């Protein structure tokens, strides 16, 4: 078996392996600046490898926009039933026509991507980040990449054309839809003729098939922005289920498989799934938005919401103890902000709240003596997120947090949640 795997793997050339890695890890803005520029064939291979491969990962991200599950399943059905037509990849843009029997129309779909992430989506029939038509095109490209025609980015495809060929192309294209295109073409023609127009003062030309425009927001940013708006978690939440919140770490399997979650719970579930998929940046951003929400409404929390908030604190602790990079630092600064803010408000928690607040962590004293470790970051041991801050000092992932990540239950959590309910009810 190992021999077979080795034989198959050596068939890929070093060039193909390198191009695959570049597609996976290098963003379009960096690729555009390479000097000398990548040749047309290499760009095509890199772009081929830049489309997401993990369908489940895309599905989890799409859930952030609060779409109902039928969007994803509906898209898969459109793909399976052969409604995706004229699908092609041009550089880092997927374009397809998806037939829609319900509307009696066809949807023109475009999906931009890089580094194996979807960065922007558009559907001519719908106004959502993710709709059945967009999902159908994405699923098609992931499952049948060899059936999709691949072209170089627009700039590279136009570059070898002669002046006559460019004129021919432009006039043939306008003739397809003069009503829609002629106005745009002549508006831009006037700008091109006027040397003082901004389009003549910037270098290069916009290319929608080669990364997002600098002032364009990605689907990830748009989703996070949406979650960050206060009404997001307040609108259309499921009716309160009282103290029987699903969001209990003592029954994580039930929580993760539940179909009846409020928006807050659903977002937390998505953040956990993203973390387990290794998408730490987006996962961390979702946890941060959840923390912001709870601190904005902290005076109105009921018991189950307070326990929910403590669960978020636990995930902050796990994140800070185990992840690296800018998102970890961002989460630590959020934890410190809320922890210190409580100092200013002279917040005095109940003794039980202080000792049972979250998973018990001890400061790792290997590298510090007691004097240095005490309030080294100005943290308040009575404030929220105290243990998330202590997680910063851990040399290894504490067992309780590892259990949390591995979906196992620490027995002390049962006692903890019971205690918290008694304390607040
Ligand atoms: Zn649509």
């Amino acid at each position: 078996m190992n021999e077979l795997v080795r034989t198959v793997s050596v068939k890929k050339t070093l060039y193909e392996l390198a191009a695959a890695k570049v597609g996976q890890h290098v963003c379009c803005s960096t690729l555009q600046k390479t000097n000398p520029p990548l040749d047309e064939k290499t760009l095509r291979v890199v772009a081929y490898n830049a489309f997401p491969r993990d369908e489940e990962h895309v599905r989890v991200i799409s859930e952030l926009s609060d779409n109902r599950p039928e969007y994803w399943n509906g898209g898969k059905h459109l793909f399976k039933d052969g409604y995706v037509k004229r699908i092609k990849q041009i550089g880092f843009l997927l374009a397809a026509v998806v037939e829609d029997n319900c509307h009696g129309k066809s949807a023109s779909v475009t999906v931009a991507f890089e580094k194996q992430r979807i960065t922007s989506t558009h559907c001519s029939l719908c106004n959502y980040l993710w709709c059945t038509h967009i999902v159908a095109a994405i699923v098609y490209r992931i499952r049948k990449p060899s059936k999709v025609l691949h072209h170089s980015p627009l700039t590279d495809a136009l570059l070898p054309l002669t002046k006559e060929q460019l004129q021919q192309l432009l006039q043939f294209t306008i003739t397809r839809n003069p009503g829609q295109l002629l106005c745009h073409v002549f508006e831009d023609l006037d700008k091109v003729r006027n040397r003082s127009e901004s389009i003549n003062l910037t270098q290069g030309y916009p290319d929608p098939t080669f990364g997002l425009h600098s002032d364009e927001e990605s689907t990830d940013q748009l989703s996070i922005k949406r979650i960050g708006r206060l009404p997001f978690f307040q609108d259309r939440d499921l009716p309160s289920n009282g103290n029987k919140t699903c969001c209990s770490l003592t029954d994580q399997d039930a929580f993760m498989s539940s179909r009846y979650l409020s928006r807050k719970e659903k977002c937390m579930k998505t953040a956990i799934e993203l973390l387990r998929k290794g998408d730490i940046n987006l996962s961390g951003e979702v946890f941060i938005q959840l923390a912001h929400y709870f601190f904005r409404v902290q005076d109105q929390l009921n018991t189950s919401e307070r326990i929910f908030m403590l669960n978020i604190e636990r995930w902050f602790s796990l994140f800070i103890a185990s992840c690296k990079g800018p998102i970890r630092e961002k989460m630590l600064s959020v934890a410190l902000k809320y922890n210190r803010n409580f100092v200013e408000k002279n917040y005095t928690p109940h003794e039980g709240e202080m000792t049972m607040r979250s998973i018990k962590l001890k400061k790792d004293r290997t590298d510090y003596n007691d004097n240095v470790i005490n309030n080294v970051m100005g943290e308040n041991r009575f404030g929220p997120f105290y243990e998330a801050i202590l997680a910063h000092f851990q040399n290894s992932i504490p067992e309780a947090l590892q259990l949390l990540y591995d979906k196992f239950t620490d027995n002390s959590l049962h006692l903890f949640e019971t205690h918290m309910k008694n304390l607040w009810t």
Side-chain angles (χ1 to χ4, degrees):
M1 183 62 189
N2 282 344
E3 275 302 311
L4 180 66
V5 171
R6 213 171 296 137
T7 317
V8 171
S9 63
V10 291
K11 281 187 177 174
K12 282 203 166 184
T13 63
L14 187 58
Y15 169 83
E16 287 168 328
L17 289 169
K21 284 289 169 197
V22 171
Q24 196 179 344
H25 298 290
V26 182
C27 62
C28 286
S29 59
T30 304
L31 291 172
Q32 283 171 341
K33 289 177 201 152
T34 51
N35 192 13
L38 296 179
D39 62 76
E40 198 180 331
K41 182 194 165 196
T42 305
L43 260 182
R44 217 167 39 234
V45 181
V46 169
Y48 176 86
N49 287 287
F51 198 85
R53 295 189 169 180
D54 187 343
E55 190 178 309
E56 182 61 13
H57 185 201
V58 182
R59 185 195 64 77
V60 173
I61 293 174
S62 77
E63 298 226 318
L64 273 180
S65 297
D66 196 44
N67 279 336
R68 289 158 292 169
E70 54 263 37
Y71 274 94
W72 192 267
N73 292 332
K76 283 204 297 191
H77 282 300
L78 285 176
F79 155 71
K80 278 182 194 161
D81 297 341
Y83 287 105
V84 181
K85 312 282 182 189
R86 291 166 56 199
I87 184 164
K88 54 174 80 67
Q89 182 179 323
I90 307 125
F92 297 79
L93 189 84
L94 184 73
V97 172
V98 183
E99 290 176 358
D100 187 316
N101 283 345
C102 299
H103 291 84
K105 292 179 183 172
S106 292
S108 295
V109 164
T110 53
V111 176
F113 57 90
E114 56 189 276
K115 290 170 66 178
Q116 296 192 348
R117 296 187 81 87
I118 304 294
T119 53
S120 103
T121 59
H122 179 261
C123 172
S124 61
L125 291 186
C126 317
N127 193 25
Y128 303 113
L129 276 181
W130 309 90
C131 65
T132 49
H133 314 113
I134 289 166
V135 170
I138 291 172
V139 171
Y140 190 114
R141 172 59 180 80
I142 290 175
R143 296 193 188 180
K144 292 185 169 183
S146 61
K147 300 272 182 193
V148 177
L149 277 175
H150 289 81
H151 302 273
S152 313
L154 186 64
T155 308
D156 296 78
L158 294 181
L159 212 55
L161 300 188
T162 62
K163 191 183 165 190
E164 285 74 22
Q165 284 174 316
L166 282 172
Q167 176 129 17
Q168 186 184 20
L169 174 69
L170 189 60
Q171 293 196 203
F172 266 96
T173 306
I174 294 170
T175 306
R176 281 172 180 260
N177 194 346
Q180 196 174 11
L181 294 175
L182 264 179
C183 280
H184 292 301
V185 168
F186 274 82
E187 276 169 19
D188 290 340
L189 189 63
D190 289 341
K191 288 179 189 168
V192 169
R193 283 172 177 158
N194 184 350
R195 285 187 174 275
S196 60
E197 276 287 346
S198 59
I199 62 169
N200 292 314
L201 303 175
T202 49
Q203 212 178 8
Y205 317 120
D207 185 346
T209 66
F210 204 168
L212 294 186
H213 197 259
S214 56
D215 57 6
E216 210 176 337
E217 289 181 298
S218 71
T219 44
D220 286 359
Q221 289 168 317
L222 290 169
S223 299
I224 292 299
K225 214 176 186 179
R226 196 155 171 253
I227 297 170
R229 293 185 192 124
L230 187 62
F232 180 80
F233 291 120
Q234 292 173 330
D235 283 358
R236 286 189 286 145
D237 253 2
L238 287 182
S240 168
N241 47 6
N243 290 341
K244 291 184 204 164
T245 176
C246 303
C247 190
S248 164
L249 291 187
T250 55
D251 201 355
Q252 204 187 132
D253 280 339
F255 171 68
M256 295 301 280
S257 59
S258 173
R259 297 178 63 194
Y260 304 100
L261 299 176
S262 68
R263 271 187 171 175
K264 294 185 276 287
E265 291 169 330
K266 204 174 150 195
C267 266
M268 179 156 172
K269 179 188 162 190
T270 303
I272 294 169
E273 286 178 321
L274 286 170
L275 183 62
R276 293 200 170 117
K277 282 269 174 205
D279 190 351
I280 61 166
N281 291 323
L282 194 53
S283 171
E285 292 289 352
V286 179
F287 277 120
I288 287 171
Q289 294 306 326
L290 280 164
H292 286 332
Y293 170 76
F294 277 105
F295 277 97
R296 275 185 289 179
V297 297
Q298 57 186 292
D299 298 334
Q300 306 148 31
L301 299 180
N302 62 29
T303 303
S304 61
E305 286 171 328
R306 280 171 186 251
I307 291 173
F308 189 109
M309 194 169 132
L310 291 165
N311 285 330
I312 292 169
E313 184 177 331
R314 288 195 189 109
W315 286 94
F316 261 72
S317 304
L318 170 61
F319 228 101
I320 291 167
S322 59
C323 295
K324 289 180 180 161
I327 188 66
R328 176 193 186 276
E329 302 310 313
K330 194 171 175 182
M331 293 184 84
L332 182 61
S333 71
V334 170
L336 275 166
K337 176 185 152 190
Y338 287 122
N339 180 268
R340 288 169 180 163
N341 278 352
F342 268 71
V343 180
E344 289 161 18
K345 288 181 182 175
N346 294 321
Y347 172 74
T348 314
H350 189 282
E351 178 63 22
E353 193 177 344
M354 190 182 87
T355 53
M356 293 295 291
R357 186 173 44 233
S358 184
I359 295 167
K360 295 296 287 179
L361 297 170
K362 287 179 182 168
K363 284 182 181 177
D364 196 319
R365 302 190 175 192
T366 318
D367 300 327
Y368 305 90
N369 63 43
D370 283 3
N371 291 332
V372 175
I373 196 93
N374 274 340
N375 297 324
V376 71
M377 299 169 89
E379 71 271 20
N380 170 16
R381 74 191 187 95
F382 300 107
F385 283 91
Y386 178 57
E387 274 140 353
I389 295 163
L390 293 194
H392 172 66
F393 298 100
Q394 307 299 308
N395 286 335
S396 57
I397 304 173
E399 193 187 352
L401 294 179
Q402 187 63 53
L403 287 171
L404 175 65
Y405 182 81
D406 293 340
K407 299 185 194 174
F408 292 108
T409 305
D410 181 350
N411 280 335
S412 65
L413 291 180
H414 289 286
L415 294 170
F416 161 76
E417 293 204 347
T418 310
H419 178 87
M420 295 315 280
K421 279 178 184 163
N422 293 336
L423 197 64
W424 282 324
T425 48

